[in-house]
């Protein structure tokens, strides 16, 4: 195509076509209004490709320089919002190439030597996603840091631990928060895994079968930072696979979905804890909204939306995985549909994580370097709730086991004691010693240590348990592995 032919591609692709596309079909097939978001990756990929073409003697140094200059100009135009994106030119790749050809003439037309949009777009998406994964990994580390900070301030705050949302055993609020730190730590690990498989170079696969030009794919990979920890270039090793599979994007959406599921679980707890019936925590007003009719309301909109947006992210995972299913090798235009879901997953996840860092940990005070104004904890309400529901019944059973009873008998004995306490409308720890002794003669005064909330916590002093001593070990471990 001559440069003005490229400009008017809409009229017909080439001499082969006898009629232009209708306006509707043009809009239906175009992607430029969403894939222009890939422009930086497209320019970076093209610069790396041109550098290699010149190094291999496939294009001249003069052409290489014109391409560099033209792409530099395009970069400036896009950044300044002055680039004229044309629907007629279908996608980000053809838009940039057409402009380059306007600016650099034949040199611009030589850039596509040994390349196809098929390996170009696969490269662009991988480059773009890799950088987004790095941002997300940073945010996951920040969220863990915020949770560890709040945990550290609440080691001695006790709330009821639940199973089936029924009071089960007392736990430290710090221990509860650190459970989420574990989840987000695994999410970060998964992101790291996905990054490794995303950061591989399809360029050089060309349309599907490879290329006849003596390309140096490893050089391109190194230029683009597609290397492993040892600096070894990471290449897609099969051209058909390189241009067509989007499993890295699916994997990413899967890791993002799990992260959102964890955010959603935390959101559900925040929503419960903020309700009048619990009253365990408050979040800053800027994360809540009022009601247009009920003046007393402060609604936890942010956690609710995060819970809701989890469905949206999981939905995008379903879109991508269904998009891939049934595609024969190699590239099919179906894959153009990978972008909008993927972009939305990235945007939703980043926004959610940013908001949660601030909502949980508070805003960073540049003077102190510390976060301030995160969630407010009502320790009294938590502890009062833990006093109800016989949270230390297991501790009494364990006490009897230490006195020589088989666990099953101890379990039965305590069940009777709970029944008695229920009829007296009091906690086990409020029953007089003489009454407790009626259930078993081995019960002595020291039983009250194990019936207290703090005694119960302290007793769970094995790795992973809720004893404050264990929590301190875990906090130190997290501080050690988290940046900053
Ligand atoms: N816009 C296309 C996409 O996103 C670029 C690749 C087009 N390749 C092709 N043979 N039509 O997938």
């Amino acid at each position: 195509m001559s440069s003005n032919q490229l400009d008017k591609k809409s009229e017909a692709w080439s001499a082969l076509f006898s009629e232009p596309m209708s306006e509707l079909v043009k809009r239906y097939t175009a992607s430029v209004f969403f894939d222009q978001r890939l422009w930086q990756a497209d320019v970076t990929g093209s610069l790396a490709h041109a550098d290699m073409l010149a190094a291999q003697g496939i294009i001249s140094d003069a052409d290489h320089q014109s391409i560099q200059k033209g792409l530099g100009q395009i970069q400036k135009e896009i950044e300044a919002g002055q680039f004229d994106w044309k629907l007629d030119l279908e996608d980000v790749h053809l838009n940039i190439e057409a402009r380059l050809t306007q600016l650099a003439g034949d040199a611009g037309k030589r850039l596509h030597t040994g390349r196809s949009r098929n390996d170009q777009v696969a490269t662009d998406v991988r480059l773009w996603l890799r950088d987004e994964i790095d941002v997300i990994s940073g945010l996951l580390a920040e969220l863990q840091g915020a949770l560890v900070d709040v945990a550290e301030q609440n080691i001695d705050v006790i709330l009821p631990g639940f199973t089936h949302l029924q009071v089960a055993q007392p736990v430290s609020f710090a221990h509860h928060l650190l459970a989420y730190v574990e989840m987000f730590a695994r999410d970060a690990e998964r992101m790291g895994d996905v990054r490794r498989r995303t950061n591989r170079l399809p360029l050089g696969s060309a349309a599907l079968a490879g290329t006849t030009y003596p390309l140096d794919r490893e050089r391109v990979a190194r230029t683009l930072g597609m290397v492993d920890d040892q600096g070894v270039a990471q290449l897609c090793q099969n051209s058909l696979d390189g241009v067509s599979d989007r499993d890295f994007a699916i994997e990413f959406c899967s890791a993002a979905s799990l992260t959102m599921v964890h955010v959603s679980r935390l959101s559900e707890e925040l929503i419960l804890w903020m309700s009048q019936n619990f009253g365990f925590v408050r979040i800053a007003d800027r994360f809540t909204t009022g009601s247009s009719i009920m003046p007393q309301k402060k609604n936890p909109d942010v956690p609710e939306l995060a819970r809701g947006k989890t469905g949206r992210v999981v939905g995008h995972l379903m879109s991508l995985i269904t998009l891939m299913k049934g595609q024969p090798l190699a590239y099919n235009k179906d894959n153009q549909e990978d972008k909008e879901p993927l972009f939305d997953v990235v945007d939703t996840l980043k926004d959610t994580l940013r908001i949660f860092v601030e909502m949980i940990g508070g805003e960073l005070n540049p003077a102190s370097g510390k976060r301030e104004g995160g969630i407010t904890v009502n320790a009294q309400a938590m502890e009062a709730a833990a006093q109800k529901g016989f949270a230390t019944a297991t501790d009494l059973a364990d006490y009897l086991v230490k006195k020589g009873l088989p666990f099953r008998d101890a379990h039965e004995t305590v069940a009777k004691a709970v029944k008695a306490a229920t009829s007296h409308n009091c906690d086990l720890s409020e029953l007089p010693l003489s009454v407790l002794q009626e259930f078993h003669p081995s019960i002595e005064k020291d039983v009250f240590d194990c019936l207290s909330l703090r005694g119960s916590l302290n007793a769970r002093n094995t790795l992973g348990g809720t004893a404050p001593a264990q929590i301190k070990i875990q906090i130190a471990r997290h501080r050690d592995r988290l940046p900053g």
Side-chain angles (χ1 to χ4, degrees):
M1 281 185 217
S2 76
S3 81
N4 55 356
Q5 267 173 330
L6 244 183
D7 232 9
K8 288 187 292 178
K9 193 214 78 185
S10 59
E11 292 183 4
W13 267 96
S14 67
L16 187 64
F17 291 75
S18 59
E19 57 176 13
M21 273 181 181
S22 75
E23 281 305 312
L24 179 58
V25 173
K26 232 191 273 174
R27 264 192 287 122
Y28 195 75
T29 55
S31 54
V32 63
F33 290 111
F34 51 85
D35 70 11
Q36 59 181 262
R37 188 167 169 165
L38 296 173
W39 72 268
Q40 181 71 72
D42 199 67
V43 168
T44 306
S46 286
L47 285 170
H49 182 65
D51 158 82
M52 179 276 294
L53 290 178
Q56 296 294 97
I58 301 169
I59 61 171
S60 68
D61 287 342
D63 281 345
H64 181 207
Q65 276 169 25
S66 308
I67 290 169
Q68 283 178 313
K69 195 158 159 260
L71 288 173
Q73 166 76 18
I74 289 169
Q75 165 115 18
K76 286 201 198 96
E77 289 174 4
I78 298 175
E79 280 170 348
Q82 282 158 359
F83 191 89
D84 185 15
W85 297 102
K86 295 195 179 94
L87 179 78
D88 276 0
L89 289 170
E90 197 178 302
D91 60 20
V92 59
H93 322 292
L94 292 178
N95 267 271
I96 291 179
E97 192 184 333
R99 179 69 182 134
L100 181 65
T101 302
Q102 272 177 358
L103 292 168
D106 281 354
K109 288 192 259 172
R110 292 202 173 99
L111 171 62
H112 214 49
T113 312
R115 187 175 77 167
S116 151
R117 274 190 299 156
N118 297 350
D119 56 348
Q120 185 177 359
V121 69
T123 302
D124 289 2
V125 176
R126 284 171 182 267
L127 281 176
W128 175 85
L129 184 58
R130 176 191 71 188
D131 292 352
E132 294 294 345
I133 290 173
D134 290 342
V135 174
I136 289 164
S137 300
L139 288 169
L140 279 168
E142 275 188 61
L143 181 55
Q144 291 175 66
L147 285 161
V148 171
D149 287 348
V150 180
E152 196 159 40
Q153 293 151 16
N154 290 283
I155 296 175
D156 294 316
V157 173
I158 299 178
L159 81 167
F162 296 107
T163 61
H164 316 270
L165 208 59
Q166 307 279 318
V167 172
Q169 290 171 353
V171 292
S172 153
F173 186 50
H175 194 56
H176 197 113
L177 293 177
L178 292 181
Y180 285 98
V181 174
E182 295 293 333
M183 295 178 226
F184 294 125
R186 287 194 299 279
D187 292 330
E189 268 180 48
R190 267 185 286 272
M191 287 294 167
D193 267 357
V194 176
R195 188 193 195 282
R196 278 196 297 117
R197 282 181 290 277
T198 299
N199 200 27
R200 288 179 190 162
L201 183 76
L203 267 186
S205 303
L208 74 162
T211 175
T212 55
Y213 299 95
L215 303 188
D216 181 352
R217 298 187 61 208
E218 294 197 1
R219 181 187 175 106
V220 179
R222 279 194 299 273
T223 308
L224 294 174
M226 289 179 147
V227 293
D228 68 8
D229 293 343
Q230 276 78 50
V232 178
Q234 300 295 297
L235 306 173
C236 297
Q237 299 283 336
N238 179 295
S239 59
L240 296 164
D241 174 49
V243 292
S244 63
D245 206 347
R246 297 291 182 266
D247 59 355
F248 62 94
I250 297 171
E251 253 191 272
F252 168 76
C253 289
S254 164
S257 294
L258 276 171
T259 307
M260 285 299 290
V261 165
H262 293 149
V263 170
S264 185
R265 295 184 69 189
L266 177 56
S267 297
E268 170 69 5
E269 302 220 80
L270 288 170
I271 293 162
L272 287 172
W273 292 342
M274 283 169 68
S275 77
Q276 285 74 6
N277 310 63
F278 282 75
F280 287 2
V281 300
R282 277 191 296 115
I283 56 176
D285 282 356
R286 63 184 181 284
F287 302 104
T288 64
T289 59
S291 155
S292 57
I293 175 167
M294 296 167 283
Q296 84 282 13
K297 296 271 276 181
K298 234 182 234 179
N299 297 326
D301 285 35
V302 165
E304 287 173 300
L305 274 172
R307 195 175 55 184
K309 283 174 193 286
T310 302
R312 167 175 172 156
V313 169
V314 173
H316 290 322
L317 166 64
M318 293 306 120
S319 298
L320 287 197
I321 205 161
T322 313
L323 176 72
M324 207 64 239
K325 169 189 179 300
Q327 280 194 51
L329 287 174
Y331 176 85
N332 303 280
K333 190 83 165 192
D334 311 41
N335 278 343
Q336 182 166 288
E337 288 289 308
D338 65 354
K339 292 173 196 61
E340 287 162 293
L342 185 60
F343 293 165
D344 193 59
V345 168
V346 166
D347 292 340
T348 307
L349 183 57
K350 282 197 305 191
D351 285 352
T352 304
L353 292 175
R354 279 195 187 113
I355 292 176
F356 267 65
V357 168
E358 207 191 303
M359 190 172 70
I360 305 279
E363 256 176 321
L364 202 62
N365 176 343
S368 66
K370 291 209 183 313
R371 296 190 170 276
E372 288 164 13
I375 57 169
T376 314
V377 176
N378 186 341
Q380 271 174 339
M382 288 188 182
E383 193 153 333
Q387 294 289 358
K388 292 186 208 136
F390 307 104
T392 56
T394 316
D395 297 86
L396 181 55
D398 290 344
Y399 175 90
L400 291 170
V401 167
K402 278 179 203 132
K403 298 279 179 178
L405 261 76
F407 183 78
R408 278 290 156 235
D409 294 344
H411 185 278
E412 187 55 23
T413 304
V414 176
K416 286 182 191 140
V418 167
K419 203 170 172 189
T422 309
S423 67
H424 286 86
N425 202 13
C426 70
D427 186 53
L428 282 176
S429 63
E430 290 162 342
L431 289 173
L433 183 60
S434 56
V435 173
L436 285 168
Q437 279 168 336
E438 284 170 24
F439 296 106
H440 204 272
S442 70
I443 295 180
E444 291 167 84
K445 227 170 88 195
D446 61 351
V447 72
F448 293 107
D449 298 336
C450 86
L451 290 178
S452 78
L453 297 179
R454 287 197 160 65
S456 170
L457 251 65
N458 285 328
R460 286 171 170 73
N461 195 11
T462 46
L463 193 143
T466 192
Q470 291 298 326
I471 294 169
K472 285 176 191 153
I473 292 171
Q474 294 296 333
I475 288 175
R477 182 176 70 82
H478 292 308
R479 293 254 182 252
D480 214 42
R481 63 175 189 81
L482 288 168

